[in-house]
Amino acid sequence: MAESNLGTYSGRNEEWRLDLRKKLKNKERMAGSRVKMPEADPLSRIKSYVEVNSGLTEEQAVAEAQRCLDCVNPTCIEGCPVSINIPGFIKSIETRNFDNSIRILKDTNALPAVCGRVCPQEIQCEASCFYQTKLKKPPIAIGHLERFAADHARNSGKAFIPKITKKRNEKVAIIGSGPSGLAASGELTKLGYQVTVFEALHELGGVLKYGIPEFRLPNEIVDFEIDNLKKLGVNFEKNFIVGKTADFEDLREEGYSAFFVGSGAGLPMFMNIPGENYIGVLSANEYLTRVNLMGATKEDYDTPVFKGKNVAVIGGGNTAMDSVRTAKRLGAEKAMIVYRRSLEEMPARIEEIQHAKEEGIEFLVLNNPVEYLADKNGRVNKMKLQRMELGEPDQSGRRRPVPVEGSEYSLEIDLVIVSIGVSPNPLIPMSLPGLEISKWKTITVNSDTMQSSVPSLFAGGDIVRGGATVILAMGDGRKAAKNIHDFLQKKANSEMQANGQKNEQNKK
Amino acid sequence: MPKIISKKYLSEKVVQLEIEAPRIAKKRKAGHFVIVKIGKEGERIPLTISQADIKKGTITLVIQIVGVTSNKLSKLETGDEVTDIVGPLGNATHVSKVGTVLCAGGGVGIAPLLPIVEAIHKAGNKVISVLAARNKELLILEKEISASSDQVIVLTDDGSCGQKGLVTEGMEQIIRQEKIDQSIVIGPAIMMKYASMLTQKYNIPTMASLNTIMVDGTGMCGACRVSVGGRTKFVCVDGPEFNAHDVDFDELLMRLGSYKNEEAGAYKKLLI
């Protein structure tokens, strides 16, 4: 991959870094303990949408940055899907050169304020931190520091808008304004292309807006990053569904010579058990969209949402945690996670599970719904559950849940949110018959270039991966942008050559 | 933002808006719908495109005033802007030459029926339309439907226009009169249920166009799910048209009432 060279460069031998390492001995650096993220009180935060993590203070951030040993071999960078120069930005925080810190982050990450909040650092950069791997001590709080640098930049009022050195005439269309699309749009605009992002919904940001709740990622942070992209020169068109409002052929005629598809997740999956279409059984996508995108809980907003007293959320991923914690904030007396495996296998981030527990969320693990029952109006009022036990590991490497015979019991509930995954958005594959699609209905791409079977079309994020994290989606967008650049340059060169030959022939 | 070019009341509770939307006008086919949202605080609702004018770059929507959003839409005047409109969505009607087609429209369902009647007629089919409404006042687009139909029967519940009776009575009259190769029914869910039962009795392949609750309309939320032939389908991406004989209309009717309480409260608040 093209990024691997960049990957290990951390600027470690720059003079200021050498000086900094001399200032404190490693022993002194290791004496400190990992910073604890200040949090809103659980009992008060469940009554509002206030962000749970309130962010490090400058002193906390500098002290945490001091713990970082600026390793010879910074393994943290290898743990990052987009190879952020982690020691570089952390050491800049230590010297209080916050401007440099954000500049380094923005080199590889278009949305550090977002990633600092929602990345699963505990299985990525922080899992590869020297403290964690060798010293068996809590790792550097890389995520918290990333967030600090991004928030500091935002609050400073300074705009870190890169200068565009070369303007190019080629137009590139980005489909979807979620993490992968935003990342791709930023990169391509920096390279000088004329970029337009087409968004199907009435708001920009994709899953960052409709999916992730404000108590984890405030909308104003997403909007700030989008505004920066606008200032950089990215065009945005909302209420525009490529494949419907205009198809690829139309856009080609309008001068677009390359496409990046980041259309994201689509159809929510259901379990296909009896009663699943009763009123009050809905997908996590629907529930979260009503609250996050449509403002269903805000005064004067028209979109309704169910407020359950006893809410069961089916699933154990981050979306399930977001849903169950949202239900608690909407006044649920009992908000529970129903998960067929055990806590250990739960795919949600540890921090989210921890926060959920603090907020009084109940965990019904090793339980699986088998049927929903309803009152005479069709409103769900009970669920039948089956207890499970763990058997042999399955293909995913996790132990397979096996039903315990005769263990069925029923539970009173009045709202069920199904959060067991999504299949990719079908609109793009449906509209481009020549496009190669996998059996999981994702767009097939060359994983080195993100190029699809249609040469001018690149794709990334959930439409390629099925279900991925924000950072992986952004990494895809960045990688695709580089390869779109290569593709367009090659195309321009061959056109130039062809024209040259034509001119030669004309001369003859 | 898309502008309203003209506004016309088809009846006291039914308003027709012609909206500037050149891209949608160009792409739309019979059967397509759009999602509309009014104001920052508005909800997203699906509305079938009734007509489109590619030259003018406009689409026409027919709205029955029943709740918060339809009420807000009806208050917009010529020159006002529609905050958000996106489409065309859903799958277009499959139009082919089959012979004689019985098109049944109930109430405001006559509006989405119009482009289908036009397309089917243009494809060389004999079109017999049965239009039904509660009363003369609520009967819409009779002239427009007639222009693309070989025969039209009008029924009203109170007999104030055409025959007195229900849509199914008109349909049965036609079915007895001649061989029907295909039927299309659009209207309130309850009307489609009975119309579908009737054509099933006579073994006439029938298509129904469903209008359900939707949030995004692009296959993301699943609010629009409906059981068709025992399997869950999404009206927004799998529909909106389905084999009527396979649709679980009782479930559809139940699900349409999902937010009845919440919506009634909001509507009352709006009217105060």
Side-chain angles (χ1 to χ4, degrees):
Chain A
M1 275 193 295
E3 277 174 12
S4 58
N5 292 334
L6 194 141
T8 44
Y9 174 75
S10 79
R12 193 173 182 272
N13 294 327
E14 287 170 23
E15 209 166 312
W16 67 275
R17 295 274 283 276
L18 297 170
D19 291 344
L20 194 60
R21 284 202 296 279
K22 282 181 205 147
K23 259 176 70 182
L24 273 178
K25 287 193 185 108
N26 273 359
K27 209 173 155 191
E28 290 169 288
R29 292 185 184 275
M30 289 188 290
S33 55
R34 180 180 157 114
V35 68
K36 189 168 174 349
M37 172 61 85
E39 289 172 3
D41 171 62
L43 291 180
S44 63
R45 75 189 185 218
I46 56 170
K47 294 190 176 71
S48 75
Y49 267 78
V50 64
E51 197 181 0
V52 172
N53 287 346
S54 31
L56 304 182
T57 63
E58 194 173 313
E59 292 318 310
Q60 281 176 314
V62 171
E64 182 67 11
Q66 265 175 10
R67 284 179 69 222
C68 169
L69 302 177
D70 202 3
C71 302
V72 183
N73 178 20
T75 44
C76 51
I77 300 182
E78 288 162 29
C80 172
V82 297
S83 307
I84 291 176
N85 176 359
I86 292 167
F89 96 79
I90 289 183
K91 291 296 116 179
S92 303
I93 291 177
E94 187 180 340
T95 56
R96 295 183 200 257
N97 188 349
F98 303 124
D99 291 2
N100 197 45
S101 181
I102 190 70
R103 238 176 250 124
I104 291 173
L105 278 164
K106 288 246 166 174
D107 267 348
T108 37
N109 184 345
L111 311 169
V114 175
C115 290
R117 285 171 166 83
V118 303
C119 256
Q121 291 98 8
E122 70 274 13
I123 55 165
Q124 297 177 348
C125 53
E126 293 181 15
S128 315
C129 172
F130 183 74
Y131 275 85
Q132 178 82 32
T133 56
K134 294 285 168 2
L135 303 177
K136 306 292 171 204
K137 279 185 175 175
I140 304 297
I142 300 169
H144 296 346
L145 289 175
E146 180 182 25
R147 171 187 162 153
F148 169 81
D151 287 358
H152 189 279
R154 190 175 63 255
N155 296 332
S156 74
K158 283 187 222 168
F160 294 88
I161 313 289
K163 280 219 173 70
I164 297 165
T165 47
K166 186 178 171 166
K167 205 177 159 203
R168 300 171 201 270
N169 292 324
E170 290 106 319
K171 285 163 81 177
V172 183
I174 309 284
I175 295 137
S177 67
S180 72
L182 292 180
S185 74
E187 291 301 318
L188 286 161
T189 307
K190 277 194 267 178
L191 287 165
Y193 293 102
Q194 309 305 306
V195 178
T196 301
V197 179
F198 296 96
E199 168 57 48
L201 294 172
H202 61 273
E203 279 272 351
L204 299 171
V207 71
L208 306 174
K209 277 278 180 64
Y210 74 75
I212 303 175
E214 292 217 60
F215 56 80
R216 218 150 62 83
L217 178 64
N219 283 347
E220 59 169 323
I221 284 164
V222 183
D223 286 334
F224 178 84
E225 300 291 355
I226 291 170
D227 276 346
N228 277 345
L229 287 170
K230 283 180 185 164
K231 282 179 196 153
L232 183 69
V234 180
N235 305 304
F236 288 92
E237 274 219 47
K238 296 189 277 192
N239 294 318
F240 195 116
I241 303 178
V242 175
K244 293 280 183 188
T245 312
D247 50 39
F248 287 93
E249 221 29 68
D250 298 326
L251 292 180
R252 276 197 192 102
E253 272 170 32
E254 288 170 34
Y256 289 93
S257 41
F259 303 87
F260 174 76
V261 180
S263 51
L267 306 174
M269 294 203 249
F270 287 90
M271 292 172 67
N272 296 315
I273 57 175
E276 218 168 16
N277 286 347
Y278 279 136
I279 300 169
V281 181
L282 55 156
S283 74
N285 268 3
E286 179 181 351
Y287 186 65
L288 292 173
T289 300
R290 284 178 182 274
V291 176
N292 299 338
L293 178 74
M294 304 307 299
T297 57
K298 291 184 205 161
E299 189 70 18
D300 297 329
Y301 278 65
D302 297 340
T303 303
V305 68
F306 290 124
K307 290 175 182 167
K309 269 202 178 105
N310 297 306
V311 185
V313 175
I314 318 301
N318 286 322
T319 310
M321 294 306 143
D322 288 343
S323 302
V324 79
R325 296 171 68 197
T326 297
K328 193 78 191 174
R329 282 161 176 76
L330 295 194
E333 286 165 14
K334 208 173 147 100
M336 52 200 154
I337 287 284
V338 177
Y339 182 55
R340 62 196 182 125
R341 303 179 202 247
S342 74
L343 263 182
E344 222 168 280
E345 288 83 20
M346 227 174 238
R349 288 184 63 199
I350 294 163
E351 185 183 49
E352 306 312 325
I353 297 174
Q354 198 50 45
H355 282 162
K357 282 182 174 168
E358 287 167 12
E359 290 165 10
I361 304 302
E362 292 172 39
F363 285 77
L364 252 66
V365 296
L366 291 167
N367 270 279
N368 206 27
V370 287
E371 186 181 357
Y372 301 106
L373 304 166
D375 65 16
K376 61 178 194 325
N377 299 319
R379 175 75 198 253
V380 70
N381 61 5
K382 255 193 207 91
M383 71 192 288
K384 267 195 198 152
L385 292 150
Q386 189 171 40
R387 291 190 211 281
M388 312 291 277
E389 58 190 11
L390 293 178
E392 293 299 308
D394 63 11
Q395 282 167 335
S396 71
R398 295 177 299 177
R399 292 178 65 193
R400 187 196 300 272
V402 187
V404 176
E405 286 301 319
S407 65
E408 286 89 353
Y409 68 105
S410 67
L411 199 65
E412 286 200 8
I413 40 98
D414 55 2
L415 184 61
V416 176
I417 296 151
V418 183
S419 180
I420 57 166
V422 290
S423 59
N425 196 310
L427 288 182
I428 299 287
M430 270 159 78
S431 69
L432 249 186
L435 189 65
E436 198 181 304
I437 305 297
S438 77
K439 65 175 173 181
W440 298 281
K441 296 186 181 148
T442 54
I443 295 179
T444 307
V445 296
N446 172 335
S447 61
D448 290 333
T449 61
M450 309 314 284
Q451 190 173 29
S452 74
S453 60
V454 176
S456 63
L457 192 146
F458 296 69
D462 279 1
I463 192 69
V464 165
R465 295 170 180 272
T469 56
V470 169
I471 188 75
L472 283 171
M474 283 183 24
D476 288 353
R478 242 174 77 79
K479 198 197 283 178
K482 276 186 191 160
N483 289 291
I484 288 172
H485 176 49
D486 286 351
F487 169 80
L488 290 175
Q489 278 199 311
K490 267 184 209 147
K491 200 175 146 203
N493 286 340
S494 65
E495 272 165 16
M496 235 155 64
Q497 261 177 3
N499 284 339
Q501 278 167 1
K502 222 186 265 168
N503 289 342
E504 286 291 305
Q505 278 168 354
N506 287 347
K507 271 181 209 163
K508 281 172 193 169
Chain B
M1 277 189 270
K3 251 197 191 115
I4 293 177
I5 302 299
S6 70
K7 178 184 180 180
K8 190 167 119 191
Y9 276 92
L10 300 183
S11 77
E12 194 195 336
K13 286 280 177 196
V14 178
V15 65
Q16 177 178 289
L17 297 177
E18 188 186 6
I19 302 165
E20 194 177 52
R23 282 196 187 266
I24 302 176
K26 205 172 137 199
K27 284 287 162 189
R28 86 65 147 139
K29 290 198 174 84
H32 279 146
F33 66 92
V34 288
I35 292 270
V36 175
K37 176 176 162 287
I38 305 299
K40 188 166 161 273
E41 302 85 6
E43 63 178 337
R44 294 168 67 95
I45 62 157
L47 289 167
T48 309
I49 302 168
S50 179
Q51 282 159 293
D53 187 328
I54 298 178
K55 268 195 204 138
K56 274 167 85 181
T58 60
I59 58 168
T60 303
L61 304 176
V62 174
I63 301 121
Q64 185 170 28
I65 305 164
V66 286
V68 173
T69 305
S70 51
N71 198 289
K72 281 186 176 177
L73 265 165
S74 74
K75 292 212 172 101
L76 296 176
E77 300 297 336
T78 302
D80 284 349
E81 286 172 339
V82 177
T83 321
D84 297 286
I85 184 163
V86 64
L89 290 158
N91 299 301
T93 307
H94 177 73
V95 178
S96 61
K97 196 176 170 190
V98 293
T100 304
V101 184
L102 174 61
C103 299
V108 78
I110 297 170
L113 185 66
L114 176 61
I116 298 174
V117 164
E118 287 172 344
I120 290 175
H121 190 253
K122 215 174 151 192
N125 294 289
K126 181 178 177 185
V127 176
I128 303 175
S129 298
V130 176
L131 307 181
R134 282 216 304 280
N135 54 46
K136 187 182 177 196
E137 167 64 12
L138 294 172
L139 184 76
I140 59 167
L141 301 168
E142 186 193 347
K143 207 176 84 202
E144 288 81 354
I145 294 271
S146 301
S148 295
S149 304
D150 296 275
Q151 188 188 342
V152 178
I153 293 188
V154 171
L155 299 108
T156 46
D157 290 5
D158 62 357
S160 55
C161 183
Q163 304 176 21
K164 185 171 190 279
L166 299 170
V167 72
T168 40
E169 293 167 43
M171 289 173 76
E172 194 150 25
Q173 204 176 308
I174 299 293
I175 293 168
R176 285 192 181 142
Q177 169 195 304
E178 63 184 287
K179 185 180 170 290
I180 302 296
D181 298 292
Q182 201 195 328
S183 178
I184 289 156
V185 297
I186 309 183
I190 189 78
M191 167 250 166
M192 290 194 280
K193 176 184 166 177
Y194 285 102
S196 165
M197 280 161 65
L198 176 78
T199 58
Q200 194 158 22
K201 195 170 93 184
Y202 289 99
N203 278 320
I204 301 166
T206 301
M207 190 224 40
S209 177
L210 309 185
N211 195 340
T212 56
I213 294 174
M214 290 185 190
V215 184
D216 64 292
T218 63
M220 204 178 76
C221 78
C224 64
R225 63 194 196 277
V226 58
S227 294
V228 181
R231 296 180 61 180
T232 296
K233 295 277 177 190
F234 288 34
V235 172
C236 67
V237 291
D238 298 323
E241 290 166 8
F242 294 99
N243 178 348
H245 300 156
D246 286 343
V247 173
D248 183 342
F249 282 105
D250 291 330
E251 185 188 272
L252 178 74
L253 276 159
M254 175 194 85
R255 287 185 60 81
L256 281 170
S258 290
Y259 293 92
K260 217 162 46 189
N261 297 337
E262 287 83 353
E263 277 162 0
Y267 193 31
K268 234 163 117 187
K269 217 169 127 189
L270 182 87
L271 295 180
I272 290 169

